[in-house]
Amino acid sequence: RFWPLSSQTRSAMTLRGKGTKASVEEMLERQNDEMADKLADKVQMLKQISLNINTEIDAQNKQLDQMDESAGSVMGSLSGTIKHLVDLSSQGGTRAVLVRAAGMFGFFLVIYFFSSRYTTD
């Protein structure tokens, strides 16, 4: 399919029979320059968008790395806590282990309650 002709192109084609070949070529060259400028603007816009996407990806990767480090730290602490609970259970009776576990659960429940209550969104 052919591209629709602009009014300048149609007038240039009309001038071809009536005017000089140089004036038609000048008009077509001007149109070509205008289209090249528009294309350059669109390429620049796409370049800026791709740079913005790259910046956003870098920021998200950094955030994911930080979350991974935090999760590793929490897992280390949790495994240490579980080891201590196992050691306590081997030392004391069942009742003592249950009391300690209930105390720790209560402590974390209180921390959760206060952190969720005083956290602003």
Side-chain angles (χ1 to χ4, degrees):
R1 180 178 168 153
F2 295 104
W3 293 97
L5 297 176
S6 68
S7 61
Q8 290 178 340
T9 305
R10 277 189 245 121
S11 63
M13 293 173 83
T14 306
L15 287 175
R16 185 171 280 179
K18 298 178 182 176
T20 64
K21 186 176 179 180
S23 65
V24 171
E25 288 177 358
E26 286 176 17
M27 185 178 292
L28 292 174
E29 186 66 32
R30 232 184 348 239
Q31 285 179 340
N32 192 26
D33 290 342
E34 289 172 9
M35 293 171 104
D37 289 341
K38 288 179 184 178
L39 182 61
D41 290 342
K42 289 180 181 181
V43 167
Q44 182 63 30
M45 182 179 66
L46 286 173
K47 180 181 176 184
Q48 188 60 43
I49 289 171
S50 65
L51 289 173
N52 290 345
I53 289 172
N54 186 39
T55 302
E56 182 65 25
I57 287 172
D58 287 342
Q60 289 181 7
N61 281 338
K62 184 178 179 182
Q63 185 177 14
L64 286 173
D65 288 341
Q66 289 173 347
M67 289 173 62
D68 186 40
E69 290 173 7
S70 296
S73 173
V74 168
M75 289 301 291
S77 297
L78 186 60
S79 65
T81 302
I82 290 173
K83 184 179 181 283
H84 287 302
L85 280 176
V86 169
D87 289 344
L88 286 175
S89 67
S90 65
Q91 291 175 3
T94 307
R95 185 169 190 269
V97 172
L98 289 176
V99 168
R100 289 181 185 130
M104 290 175 61
F105 178 75
F107 175 73
F108 286 114
L109 190 63
V110 168
I111 288 175
Y112 173 76
F113 173 75
F114 283 117
S115 66
S116 65
R117 185 171 184 174
Y118 294 109
T119 303
T120 57
D121 293 332

